[in-house]
């Protein structure tokens, strides 16, 4: 165990451990003290990233300090994905996405966590969603950025083979993380992440993690239909899906939202935002995260500003502000609600809504929610 103490970072003080699992060691960075009445925020990074390059912009942001004070945080890094990691042994078989999700149970047992709020990006979002499907009693909520619930098809597999022959690993990772427009226009950001990928990550290990992610199975989730089969496989916890409108994952995230329970799921599509919303617009992600946590019964006295929002309803038109009383009574900003009568016919209307829609989404509100900011 290594205790790190760096007063310049809100991550610290930290406890760093390699937790042994049946699928290899997971590098875990723990900050804060677990509380009996609070879940632990557990993060998992995307391919080509580690906990620092994926989440440091978010957790070091001043607006995140309130969450850091109230919740312990455990950052998990996949086998061989931490900074300056040694090349994994030749005899080691890299775990599948399903196996990595099961390895999380060993982390919870090791630290004695009773429950978690998962925060994952890309591959990490998939792993946390899989864990929540298999262990619903251990997950209170999920914030899933750029989640892709689908397996790679034959054409995708063939395209990946072509990519391996024609692209370097850093180029392939960059294409997975960022959209084409962002790659062509945001040269400083791309250069920064290309440098991080090539200088801080073990290329052989990243390649194995990337290959495992590209061979993932579909989550096979299905939206429960009132009056139909309500016992379908779906996430039981509240879920906040986040994606930038310029992200390469925008279509698959929207598709994932359509497969989840509309009474407990919110989709936040961020305008003028690229492939890593938590890096590009951390303040807005934190704002949504705070409302999400508040909706679970925590941070009721948090000081939060309002965001302009738009909500898409899949049932009758109604306000997203539920009956719950809140300490914040700032003037609501104008938004739009689009109401869909059924799958074939859509009726549009407008009303005032706020980011409180996120906090009230898991309060008995029978609708799917799409918030754009």
């Amino acid at each position: 165990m290594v205790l790190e103490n760096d007063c310049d970072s809100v991550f610290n003080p930290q406890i760093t451990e390699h937790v042994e699992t049946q699928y290899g060691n997971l590098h875990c960075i723990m900050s804060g003290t677990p509380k009996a009445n609070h879940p632990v925020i557990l993060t998992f990074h995307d391919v080509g990233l580690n906990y620092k390059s994926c989440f440091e912009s978010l957790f070091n942001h001043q607006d995140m300090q309130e969450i850091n004070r109230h919740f312990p945080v455990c950052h998990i890094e996949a086998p061989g994905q931490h900074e300056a990691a040694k090349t994994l042994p030749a005899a080691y078989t890299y775990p599948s996405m399903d196996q990595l999700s099961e390895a999380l149970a060993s982390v919870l047992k090791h630290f004695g966590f009773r429950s978690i709020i998962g925060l994952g990006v890309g591959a990490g979002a998939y792993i946390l969603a899989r864990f929540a499907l298999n262990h619903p009693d251990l997950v209170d909520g999920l914030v899933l950025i750029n989640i892709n619930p689908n397996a790679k098809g034959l054409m995708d597999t063939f395209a990946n083979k072509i990519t391996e022959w024609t692209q370097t690993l850093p180029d392939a990772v960059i294409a997975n993380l960022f959209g084409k427009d962002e790659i062509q226009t945001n040269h400083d950001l791309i250069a920064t992440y290309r440098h991080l990928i090539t200088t801080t990550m073990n290329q052989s290990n990243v390649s194995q993690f990337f290959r495992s992610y590209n061979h993932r199975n579909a989550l096979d989730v299905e939206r429960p239909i009132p009056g139909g089969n309500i016992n379908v496989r779906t996430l039981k916890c509240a879920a906040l899906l986040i994606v930038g409108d310029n992200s390469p994952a925008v279509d698959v995230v929207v598709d994932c939202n359509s497969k989840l329970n509309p009474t407990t799921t919110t989709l936040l599509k961020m305008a003028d935002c690229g492939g890593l919303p938590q890096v590009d617009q951390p303040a807005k992600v934190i704002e949504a995260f705070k409302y999400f946590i508040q909706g679970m019964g925590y941070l009721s006295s948090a000081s939060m500003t309002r965001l302009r929002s738009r909500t898409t309803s899949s049932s009758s038109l109604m306000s997203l502000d539920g009956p719950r009383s809140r300490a914040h009574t700032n003037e609501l900003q104008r938004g739009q609600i689009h109401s869909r009568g059924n799958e074939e016919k859509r009726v549009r209307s407008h009303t005032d809504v706020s980011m409180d829609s996120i906090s009230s989404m898991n309060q008995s509100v029978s609708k799917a929610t799409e918030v754009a900011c």
Side-chain angles (χ1 to χ4, degrees), residues 8-80:
D8 293 335
S9 173
V10 298
F11 276 108
N12 295 296
Q14 299 173 336
I15 295 176
T16 301
E17 293 193 41
H18 288 274
V19 178
E20 293 185 5
T21 78
Q22 66 184 109
Y23 303 112
N25 292 342
L26 295 180
H27 192 244
C28 301
I29 303 91
M30 182 75 195
S31 63
T33 303
K35 303 176 183 179
N37 60 341
H38 275 59
V40 174
I41 296 175
L42 187 144
T43 77
F44 211 118
H45 58 88
D46 201 355
V47 169
L49 307 178
N50 52 44
Y51 90 97
K52 286 186 178 180
S53 57
C54 194
F55 295 111
E56 195 167 44
S57 296
L58 189 72
F59 281 88
N60 278 352
H61 196 282
Q62 60 180 359
D63 292 348
M64 195 70 172
Q65 292 181 8
E66 186 165 22
I67 292 178
N68 290 322
R69 286 196 301 268
H70 286 83
F71 292 88
V73 179
C74 181
H75 302 283
I76 296 183
E77 294 175 312

Side-chain angles (χ1 to χ4, degrees), residues 58-362:
L58 189 72
F59 281 88
N60 278 352
H61 196 282
Q62 60 180 359
D63 292 348
M64 195 70 172
Q65 292 181 8
E66 186 165 22
I67 292 178
N68 290 322
R69 286 196 301 268
H70 286 83
F71 292 88
V73 179
C74 181
H75 302 283
I76 296 183
E77 294 175 312
Q81 307 304 307
H82 56 281
E83 282 189 359
K86 296 180 179 179
T87 301
L88 294 166
Y92 177 71
T93 301
Y94 207 86
S96 66
M97 291 292 103
D98 294 0
Q99 290 171 333
L100 283 173
S101 72
E102 285 304 306
L104 297 184
S106 298
V107 174
L108 269 66
K109 182 178 180 180
H110 176 85
F111 288 108
F113 299 157
R114 296 184 178 182
S115 63
I116 66 167
I117 296 174
L119 170 59
V121 180
Y126 176 96
I127 290 167
L128 287 169
R130 173 71 69 179
F131 179 74
L133 288 170
N134 294 336
H135 303 278
D137 294 340
L138 297 178
V139 182
D140 285 359
L142 289 174
V143 179
L144 305 173
I145 301 175
N146 298 340
I147 184 170
N148 187 343
N150 306 317
K152 291 281 188 179
L154 290 177
M155 292 301 295
D156 292 324
T157 302
F158 181 72
N160 287 337
K161 288 294 183 181
I162 298 296
T163 297
E164 291 176 4
W165 296 335
T166 59
Q167 276 188 322
T168 64
L169 178 64
D171 286 340
V173 171
I174 290 294
N176 178 69
L177 297 175
F178 303 100
K180 292 181 179 179
D181 290 342
E182 196 170 16
I183 294 173
Q184 294 173 359
T185 59
N186 199 337
H187 301 295
D188 290 343
L189 179 67
I190 301 305
T192 297
Y193 273 85
R194 188 183 301 277
H195 176 76
L196 290 171
I197 293 165
T198 56
T199 62
T200 67
M201 306 294 293
N202 185 299
Q203 303 297 288
S204 174
N205 298 351
V206 171
S207 178
Q208 294 184 63
F209 185 33
F210 204 178
R211 187 176 300 112
S212 179
Y213 178 56
N214 284 332
H215 286 84
R216 65 188 177 276
N217 295 316
L219 287 179
D220 288 331
V221 289
E222 184 178 348
R223 170 169 288 190
I225 301 174
N229 184 5
I230 60 174
N231 295 318
V232 296
R233 180 175 172 83
T234 190
L235 294 175
K236 304 298 183 184
C237 63
L240 172 61
L241 276 54
I242 301 177
V243 67
D245 61 357
N246 294 320
S247 169
V250 63
D251 290 337
V252 294
V253 173
V254 172
D255 177 58
C256 183
N257 179 64
S258 71
K259 297 177 180 178
L260 296 178
N261 190 335
T263 66
T264 57
T265 305
T266 291
L267 169 62
L268 176 63
K269 188 187 296 183
M270 300 180 62
D272 301 319
C273 184
L276 295 179
Q278 79 281 9
V279 174
D280 195 3
Q281 298 183 21
K284 286 188 177 181
V285 172
I286 294 167
E287 188 83 6
F289 194 18
K290 283 183 177 180
Y291 276 106
F292 180 74
I293 292 175
Q294 188 184 40
M296 298 171 63
Y298 306 106
L299 295 182
S300 59
S301 62
S303 176
M304 295 176 284
T305 60
R306 305 289 183 179
L307 292 179
R308 182 172 312 221
S309 59
R310 174 173 55 85
T311 302
T312 302
S313 170
S314 64
S315 60
S316 59
L317 178 66
M318 59 191 300
S319 171
L320 289 186
D321 285 327
R324 175 180 177 177
S325 62
R326 298 180 178 85
H328 312 289
T329 57
N330 294 344
E331 180 181 356
L332 300 182
Q333 295 183 330
R334 297 293 299 177
Q336 295 177 329
I337 288 185
H338 300 275
S339 177
R340 299 178 186 174
N342 50 50
E343 292 299 327
E344 289 80 19
K345 184 177 181 180
R346 300 181 181 182
V347 180
R348 296 191 174 186
S349 301
H350 304 278
T351 190
D352 288 338
V353 298
S354 75
M355 282 294 287
D356 283 341
S357 61
I358 293 178
S359 66
S360 62
M361 72 177 180
N362 52 351

